[in-house]
Amino acid sequence: MDIKLAQCFIAVDDHDKAIAFYRDVLGLEVRDDVGFEGMRWVSVGAPSQPDVNIVLEPPLADPNASSADKQVMAELMAKGLLRGVIFTTDDCDAAFERISAAGGEVVQEPMDQPYGVRDCGFRDPAGNLLRFTQPLTK
């Protein structure tokens, strides 16, 4: 049996800002932009991975969610406590320079980690944590 990742989801509070960041800063391509019942989902992905999508979704993509639940999600997002994604790159330092030069919110400058990668971290416009890792050569 072969299992592969097809999609992962990142909650965003402003799709237009998110598109500008993921497309223009990170270089991902916009694949779909779909609205339904007052909500919006935008799929982006790396051109080198046409079968993997990151779906930028509303913070609580449930039209039946209570006002209290929507408020809790908005508060968690504002604190940057929702999950993000980890990207891999062949040049962590170059990725850091490009993203920080474009105004990305730096969480961590590039550094070698004891678990075998060089990585750096940023927050997207919604506060999600994004890490960029490069395997260390032995």
Side-chain angles (χ1 to χ4, degrees):
M1 179 170 79
D2 187 23
I3 298 175
K4 296 180 183 179
L5 176 67
Q7 298 176 352
C8 64
F9 293 81
I10 296 177
V12 299
D13 54 0
D14 185 322
H15 283 84
D16 294 326
K17 284 183 182 176
I19 290 170
F21 180 79
Y22 285 90
R23 181 193 60 211
D24 303 338
V25 175
L26 299 187
L28 302 181
E29 59 188 13
V30 176
R31 297 183 176 157
D32 289 303
D33 190 338
V34 178
F36 180 72
E37 293 190 13
M39 293 180 281
R40 184 178 178 192
W41 290 263
V42 177
S43 297
V44 298
S48 61
Q49 292 182 298
D51 56 342
V52 178
N53 292 302
I54 299 170
V55 181
L56 308 173
E57 68 173 349
L60 190 57
D62 180 351
N64 299 313
S66 70
S67 299
D69 287 344
K70 289 178 184 178
Q71 181 62 34
V72 168
M73 287 298 290
E75 290 170 4
L76 290 172
M77 178 177 283
K79 293 177 183 179
L81 295 177
L82 299 181
R83 290 291 181 205
V85 295
I86 298 174
F87 294 92
T88 187
T89 178
D90 61 355
D91 192 337
C92 179
D93 293 277
F96 178 82
E97 291 303 321
R98 187 181 79 244
I99 297 165
S100 59
E105 180 187 338
V106 176
V107 173
Q108 176 202 303
E109 293 187 7
M111 64 184 294
D112 293 348
Q113 300 291 355
Y115 41 88
V117 300
R118 182 167 181 79
D119 72 349
C120 61
F122 290 89
R123 294 227 180 260
D124 74 1
N128 296 299
L129 179 62
L130 307 178
R131 300 197 67 80
F132 298 84
T133 68
Q134 173 186 350
L136 291 172
T137 55
K138 294 181 180 185

